[in-house]
Amino acid sequence: MSSRIPPRRARRSRLALRCAIAFALPLAGAAPAHSQAPAGSASVAISPGPLGAALAAYAANAGVLLSFDPALTQGLHTAGLSGSYPFEEGLRRLLAGSGLTPQRRSDGSYTLRPEPQGATTLPAVTVHGAAETAWGPVGGYVARRSATGTKTDTPLIETPQSISVVSREQIEDTGAASLGEALRYTAGILSQEGNDRTTDGFVMRGFQLSGYGGIYRDGMKYMGNVYDGTQEPYGMERVEVLRGAASVLYGQASPGGLVNVTSKLPTAEPLHELRTSLGNHSRYELATDHGGKLTEDGTWTYRLTALARDSDTMVDYVPDNRTYIAPALRWQPSAATSMTFLGTYQRTRTAYVYGLPAIGTLEDSSQGRIPTRRFTGEPGYDKSETRFYDIGYRFEHAFNDAVTVRQNLRYFSSRNELPSVNLGGFVPGTGDTVIDRGAQDRVDHSDNFVVDTQLQFKGLTGPLAHTLLAGVDYAHRRHRSERYNRTLAPLDLYHPVYGAEPGVRVPALNSSTSSDDRFGVYLQDQVKIADKWVLLLGGRYDWSSERTNAIFFDAKQKTDSEAFTGRAGLVYLADNGLAPFVSFSQSFEPTSGVDRGGSPFKPTRGEQYEAGVRYQPAGSDTLISASVYQLTQKNVLTPDPLFPMDFQVQTGEVRSRGFELEARSAVGAHGRIIASYAYTNAEITRSNNPAEVGQRRGMTPRNTVSLWGDYRLAALGLPRMRIGAGVRYIGSTLGLFNTAIEVPSYTIVDAMMSYDAGPWQFTLNANNLTDRVYVASYSYGAFYGPRRSVIGTLAYRW
């Protein structure tokens, strides 16, 4: 006899921080041999980190005596600084937001004192140089450099294509627990399946980004399949979103763009963190992050990041457990040469949450709304147990100031046991309460090897300064998915009784093995003209070969394709920080299958025209960008006019037009803000099905708006406390595969509070603060958005 099984509260190892740590904080700023402040400017690079250590390094570099009580800087951090500036101005910059101000003594030395009550204005500071490298940490919320759009260390305002950069600090402040949550305040990007824990999938500018063609790690293709796992936010240094066609540098890619995650890298500055988190849904998490020198001269440096989590979710019987470890080691025998070894191991235990019917979620049901906690599978059967690891390196050698060679390489391997229950229609005679079910045993294996070799040359031809990049990349991917279908008893969605046993295993015809090889060569030239104009030209040629074999019957398919893609852009750099730009870029994606004549399909082609402007005054904590675009995808599959039920032809077309605005800025001395807006009009413009022409693309809201801000309460006499809040509005969308279904718009509110106490920091994040119940998206089924989560994090840094 079946019986109801209560929601999982199984035995778990309670992760708690029960340790006592003794430490000694050295006095920052040992006195140098001389103490006279320099008359001119000094050039220095100070990484983000503990304020006391940063001040000591800064004073030592300038040769200035800086003495103060270490208690003043305990638990305080700085965003860092790089460039050339007078000593006192740079010192004030490092102290921004700390509640401290420098005081110069009569002998030329300096000390620190608390700011007078209510003092919030800093003197104007002009900083020459970048605050970070394109692959390193970002100080605060505002990035200045990126490599995602060019594969070179380039200022954002010199890149003629829309890019958003999410910093490590933003990920922490907004309490992001997934890659999708890290991008919540980024213009125009939407997570694909609501509260799904098994995939990282997105929709941007009307097109899907997922798996092999849209998600990158350190500038290289990462996973081999959409179900290879999800990336852990604690291991991310920054996340960058490149919008629109981008195949010139990356080969096969969605026309909507790509998401590139940058790993935490070794650091010469000592870095140590131990933190624990507790939250609702019985969430327990312990994480640690360490970095620094392994040798006194800094030739060897390291980074070790690790995390363990045990948690339930808003859906019964669906856990969110994870073990994650990411070591990194850098060998840098000279300023010209470096070799960084990177590795990751991750094990995740969760389950796929199957989409619910529209009746009971988007439409009225006789029994009301299906509860958001409803589990439609079988406890003990449904799971997604993913184990993956990757290992690789990043090599760079500068032969001289003009010529640099780089090579990035990674091998990725994943195994996922993914047995899951699927839903059919409502059982006849039961109304809208009892639904048919089936089950499928599934095991996936993926391997992915990627290598990208680049040669960069910098030189002058008359008044033109060139950064020329030539590259060749190769990727090999293998994927095996073995599946067996099983019968399963129906389930009452409102009064579920679990315990049904799946039926006999029957081989699934969609079980297959696939492999592909992709090889590409590319050339790009960034030409700076009189320090006012930046011209970007690029071209690439790709060769691709894909092979698919059925596992349980004799069927094979091979598709060979090749494509040329180009890119051109122009930026004007005004003296006041304005940088208008125009660009043209292309993309391609191989298309599997054959037409009725047996000829393989050609790749789909994307073309984007974009015009925009950025505003980033030198030395400011402000970046405002706006752009308009038209993006067209051609060679889209549409029904064959002669045999519409059996074959397809490539005469379809999809067009997306839109406007995007994003602003990141400091507000006074203690506040910061992120604001974004996106308007997207994506529709089918050509199809052999007349009913589709003019149809909006599914899962693409016309309007999205978001606003996040945080403020340090120094003006109220509480310099150690910060508060933050955000609001996100997502306009109505249509179903991805059924555009007759409309998902209503929704608005979500988030909040944050943090307090620093010496080396300790406590942070409280509340996402979906009002506990709004909503459907986030509809693909083949309806997916609820995450309910309210409240997570408290206690971190100890030294």
Side-chain angles (χ1 to χ4, degrees):
M1 178 178 178
S2 298
S3 62
R4 183 186 297 247
I5 301 174
R8 182 176 68 91
R9 292 295 182 267
R11 295 191 307 264
R12 63 174 78 246
S13 58
R14 303 287 183 179
L15 300 174
L17 179 62
R18 297 179 180 177
C19 59
I21 302 176
F23 76 104
L25 179 66
L27 289 175
H34 53 87
S35 60
Q36 184 63 37
S41 298
S43 180
V44 70
I46 302 294
S47 301
L51 179 59
L55 292 172
Y58 179 62
N61 177 79
V64 178
L65 175 61
L66 175 63
S67 59
F68 55 92
D69 183 354
L72 288 174
T73 60
Q74 270 196 338
L76 300 182
H77 288 70
T78 179
L81 191 63
S82 178
S84 179
Y85 38 80
F87 176 78
E88 186 167 329
E89 290 186 352
L91 185 59
R92 289 182 182 277
R93 190 72 176 178
L94 287 172
L95 292 169
S98 68
L100 302 174
T101 187
Q103 182 176 14
R104 185 177 180 181
R105 295 191 176 105
S106 59
D107 62 354
S109 66
Y110 282 80
T111 188
L112 304 180
R113 60 182 175 81
E115 285 182 348
Q117 185 102 11
T120 60
T121 303
L122 292 175
V125 177
T126 301
V127 179
H128 303 284
E132 80 276 337
T133 69
W135 300 277
V138 176
Y141 293 167
V142 181
R144 292 165 177 79
R145 307 186 76 86
S146 170
T148 299
T150 60
K151 287 193 176 179
T152 63
D153 193 346
T154 302
L156 273 170
I157 61 171
E158 295 183 12
T159 306
Q161 194 164 341
S162 290
I163 301 175
S164 293
V165 180
V166 177
S167 69
R168 173 76 234 157
E169 194 166 343
Q170 180 184 334
I171 293 172
E172 293 182 350
D173 286 351
T174 57
S178 66
L179 179 57
E181 291 184 1
L183 297 173
R184 287 175 299 185
Y185 291 93
T186 302
I189 186 166
L190 183 70
S191 290
Q192 196 164 298
E193 289 190 351
N195 197 43
D196 180 31
R197 291 289 199 279
T198 62
T199 64
D200 287 328
F202 305 95
V203 175
M204 186 163 64
R205 291 190 172 179
F207 298 92
Q208 292 176 268
L209 282 66
S210 61
Y212 192 57
I215 310 300
Y216 288 71
R217 185 90 181 196
D218 300 318
M220 295 178 283
K221 293 182 185 296
Y222 196 43
M223 299 175 177
N225 179 263
V226 65
Y227 289 108
D228 282 344
T230 59
Q231 298 193 54
E232 172 53 47
Y234 192 63
M236 302 173 184
E237 190 63 74
R238 56 162 74 185
V239 182
E240 305 194 3
V241 176
L242 178 61
R243 298 183 182 85
S247 285
V248 169
L249 294 177
Y250 296 98
Q252 171 194 338
S254 165
L258 59 91
V259 175
N260 180 36
V261 174
T262 299
S263 303
K264 289 181 175 179
L265 298 175
T267 172
E269 298 294 327
L271 181 152
H272 302 282
E273 177 183 79
L274 185 64
R275 74 176 197 176
T276 184
S277 300
L278 303 176
N280 60 335
H281 305 307
S282 302
R283 181 186 181 92
Y284 302 87
E285 183 176 282
L286 184 66
T288 189
D289 188 17
H290 302 273
K293 297 179 182 179
L294 289 174
T295 58
E296 187 175 348
D297 61 358
T299 299
W300 290 92
T301 55
Y302 79 100
R303 190 74 174 264
L304 179 62
T305 308
L307 173 144
R309 178 171 66 244
D310 191 278
S311 179
D312 293 334
T313 65
M314 72 179 216
V315 179
D316 292 344
Y317 310 109
V318 177
D320 184 23
N321 301 339
R322 174 167 292 173
T323 302
Y324 171 86
I325 182 168
L329 183 66
R330 175 180 289 154
W331 174 62
Q332 189 164 6
S334 69
T337 305
S338 68
M339 172 72 88
T340 303
F341 301 95
L342 299 168
T344 304
Y345 170 80
Q346 180 173 301
R347 177 178 178 179
T348 300
R349 178 71 159 81
T350 184
Y352 181 69
V353 177
Y354 201 84
L356 296 168
I359 297 176
T361 55
L362 295 170
E363 303 174 15
D364 290 338
S365 162
S366 63
Q367 300 296 313
R369 184 187 294 269
I370 299 172
T372 58
R373 71 176 185 276
R374 182 62 66 236
F375 177 66
T376 60
E378 282 296 328
Y381 175 76
D382 288 73
K383 67 177 179 177
S384 174
E385 187 163 325
T386 309
R387 296 178 180 89
F388 75 70
Y389 71 89
D390 66 76
I391 186 169
Y393 65 76
R394 299 176 55 175
F395 171 76
E396 179 173 325
H397 174 70
F399 294 99
N400 49 49
D401 291 342
V403 182
T404 301
V405 64
R406 302 187 191 94
Q407 186 176 77
N408 302 325
L409 178 147
R410 176 187 289 117
Y411 173 74
F412 172 92
S413 182
S414 170
R415 184 180 190 275
N416 187 8
E417 294 183 52
L418 187 64
S420 62
V421 170
N422 53 77
L423 303 182
F426 288 104
V427 175
T430 65
D432 50 16
T433 60
V434 180
I435 198 164
D436 275 322
R437 296 188 299 172
Q440 186 177 84
D441 296 356
R442 175 174 176 174
V443 178
D444 283 15
H445 297 262
S446 291
D447 296 281
N448 189 29
F449 173 79
V450 185
V451 59
D452 183 11
T453 305
Q454 308 161 16
L455 183 65
Q456 177 181 296
F457 172 79
K458 291 188 175 183
L460 298 174
T461 55
L464 309 180
H466 297 265
T467 301
L468 188 66
L469 184 73
V472 54
D473 58 31
Y474 169 75
H476 174 73
R477 177 181 69 108
R478 293 182 300 171
H479 177 68
R480 176 183 175 89
S481 184
E482 185 173 343
R483 313 178 191 188
Y484 297 86
N485 294 328
R486 308 175 76 169
T487 59
L488 191 67
L491 183 76
D492 190 323
L493 292 173
Y494 296 89
H495 302 92
V497 176
Y498 300 110
E501 290 292 332
V504 177
R505 298 189 350 151
V506 178
L509 298 183
N510 58 348
S511 300
S512 66
T513 62
S514 63
S515 65
D516 57 64
D517 293 277
R518 306 181 191 276
F519 178 78
V521 292
Y522 55 91
L523 183 66
Q524 173 185 273
D525 195 7
Q526 297 168 261
V527 186
K528 183 171 284 190
I529 308 168
D531 287 331
K532 288 294 183 182
W533 297 89
V534 180
L535 174 66
L536 186 148
L537 299 171
R540 177 189 178 100
Y541 208 90
D542 279 278
W543 296 265
S544 173
S545 179
E546 299 184 38
R547 298 160 297 281
T548 303
N549 298 330
I551 293 179
F552 296 118
F553 63 98
D554 186 18
K556 298 180 180 180
Q557 180 176 304
K558 181 180 179 182
T559 302
D560 294 326
S561 57
E562 54 188 83
F564 174 82
T565 50
R567 181 187 190 192
L570 183 66
V571 184
Y572 175 73
L573 304 175
D575 293 335
N576 61 358
L578 280 172
F581 69 87
V582 293
S583 66
F584 168 79
S585 57
Q586 294 180 313
S587 69
F588 86 99
E589 281 187 296
T591 303
S592 299
V594 296
D595 61 20
R596 57 184 160 88
S599 299
F601 289 129
K602 298 179 293 186
T604 61
R605 302 299 299 260
E607 292 186 352
Q608 176 175 275
Y609 296 88
E610 184 174 24
V613 62
R614 292 187 179 92
Y615 177 64
Q616 189 171 42
S620 72
D621 283 328
T622 296
L623 175 60
I624 301 173
S625 59
S627 66
V628 294
Y629 65 88
Q630 176 172 295
L631 176 59
T632 305
Q633 185 184 40
K634 299 179 181 180
N635 296 341
V636 177
L637 295 178
T638 186
D640 188 313
L642 298 180
F643 301 96
M645 301 300 294
D646 301 314
F647 297 100
Q648 293 177 301
V649 294
Q650 289 186 282
T651 58
E653 182 182 87
V654 177
R655 185 188 65 204
S656 177
R657 292 172 172 169
F659 167 75
E660 292 165 345
L661 173 67
E662 191 168 275
R664 297 167 178 267
S665 182
V667 180
H670 306 296
R672 296 175 298 185
I673 192 170
I674 304 171
S676 72
Y677 168 73
Y679 169 79
T680 308
N681 182 16
E683 61 183 34
I684 298 172
T685 49
R686 291 183 183 177
S687 174
N688 288 336
N689 180 358
E692 289 184 344
V693 178
Q695 178 65 59
R696 282 177 59 191
R697 291 280 281 180
M699 212 177 289
T700 303
R702 289 195 187 276
N703 296 281
T704 60
V705 185
S706 67
L707 177 66
W708 171 271
D710 77 332
Y711 186 77
R712 187 174 293 276
L713 303 179
L716 302 179
L718 298 170
R720 298 181 182 275
M721 178 172 286
R722 284 190 305 127
I723 57 173
V727 59
R728 297 174 277 127
Y729 168 81
I730 308 298
S732 63
T733 60
L734 303 181
L736 183 62
F737 305 116
N738 183 357
T739 53
I741 292 178
E742 182 172 357
V743 178
S745 62
Y746 56 89
T747 302
I748 303 299
V749 177
D750 307 316
M752 177 273 290
M753 181 195 72
S754 72
Y755 184 82
D756 298 324
W760 299 91
Q761 182 185 63
F762 174 73
T763 305
L764 184 66
N765 288 101
N767 293 320
N768 192 0
L769 181 65
T770 61
D771 200 20
R772 172 80 181 267
V773 176
Y774 64 99
V775 173
S777 61
Y778 190 99
S779 53
Y780 64 85
F783 293 85
Y784 282 122
R787 296 287 297 270
R788 177 169 54 214
S789 69
V790 180
I791 300 174
T793 301
L794 182 64
Y796 179 86
R797 300 184 175 105
W798 72 101

